Amino acid sequence: FGFTRRKAGWDCMRHYEILASGSIPYFVNLSLVPRNTMASFPREIVLEAMSMQGVHFELNHDGNSVDRAEIDHMRFNHSHYFLLLDRLQKWTVKHLTTVALAKRVLRVMGLEEQAWGSAKVLFVVQPGGFGPAATYDEGGNLRDMLLHGLRGVLGERV
């Protein structure tokens, strides 16, 4: 397991980095994530893994991070863990890559896959932040992931 939690918002690159590295996220307070937030995140599989027998995590006093973690290997079903891990890896490749994100956005835009070979997309970026001196980059990760994925699907036509 790799520990993760909400930071500035629910969606965070760390969740996806844990999955991409071949581990299962132990996502503190995952059950509190609003239904339409992180819609592509495999929360049901992760929740199942987190609730396996023998898995014990103690949250700190504020309930937002882990103070103590242990796995009782006498009760822990290793084969089930690896089945869940396999499902998560397949889910990650199919739904959570930058190319998967770009394809999802193109479909939502109404572009059929057969039109992608000639499609062009103008990608306009509005700098984030809160005022002229701000350095906070609102939406940077998702924006950058989408641009990367669109370049993977459409190449130079972005």
Side-chain angles (χ1 to χ4, degrees):
F1 287 97
F3 299 109
T4 191
R5 64 183 176 85
R6 179 183 179 170
K7 288 198 77 174
W10 284 109
D11 205 4
C12 173
M13 289 300 296
R14 182 176 48 255
H15 317 322
Y16 307 105
E17 290 166 350
I18 292 168
L19 287 165
S21 73
S23 190
I24 296 178
Y26 189 91
F27 196 136
V28 176
N29 296 322
L30 177 59
S31 61
L32 301 178
V33 176
R35 189 171 56 91
N36 291 323
T37 300
M38 297 173 45
S40 296
F41 188 82
R43 67 179 80 202
E44 296 304 321
I45 303 171
V46 171
L47 286 168
E48 183 178 346
M50 290 169 47
S51 66
M52 289 178 62
Q53 284 191 7
V55 176
H56 178 73
F57 294 94
E58 253 177 56
L59 299 181
N60 70 358
H61 65 280
D62 67 6
N64 288 320
S65 58
V66 175
D67 268 350
R68 189 165 168 240
E70 60 187 30
I71 295 178
D72 178 350
H73 290 281
M74 298 301 289
R75 297 178 57 218
F76 186 73
N77 185 335
H78 293 83
S79 60
H80 187 64
Y81 174 88
F82 287 112
L83 286 172
L84 293 176
L85 183 59
D86 183 61
R87 286 176 55 200
L88 283 169
Q89 291 304 294
K90 288 175 180 168
W91 182 275
T92 299
V93 169
K94 185 174 181 180
H95 299 284
L96 300 179
T97 64
T98 60
V99 168
L101 171 64
K103 288 179 178 181
R104 191 167 52 252
V105 167
L106 291 170
R107 286 187 194 104
V108 168
M109 290 172 49
L111 286 173
E112 299 295 329
E113 194 164 347
Q114 58 269 22
W116 295 351
S118 60
K120 293 182 180 181
V121 172
L122 176 62
F123 197 88
V124 178
V125 175
Q126 168 71 32
F130 304 103
T135 58
Y136 183 71
D137 188 15
E138 183 73 32
N141 287 340
L142 183 57
R143 178 199 58 224
D144 295 344
M145 289 171 57
L146 178 57
L147 178 58
H148 184 268
L150 285 170
R151 292 297 297 262
V153 174
L154 303 177
E156 295 295 320
R157 295 184 315 278
V158 178

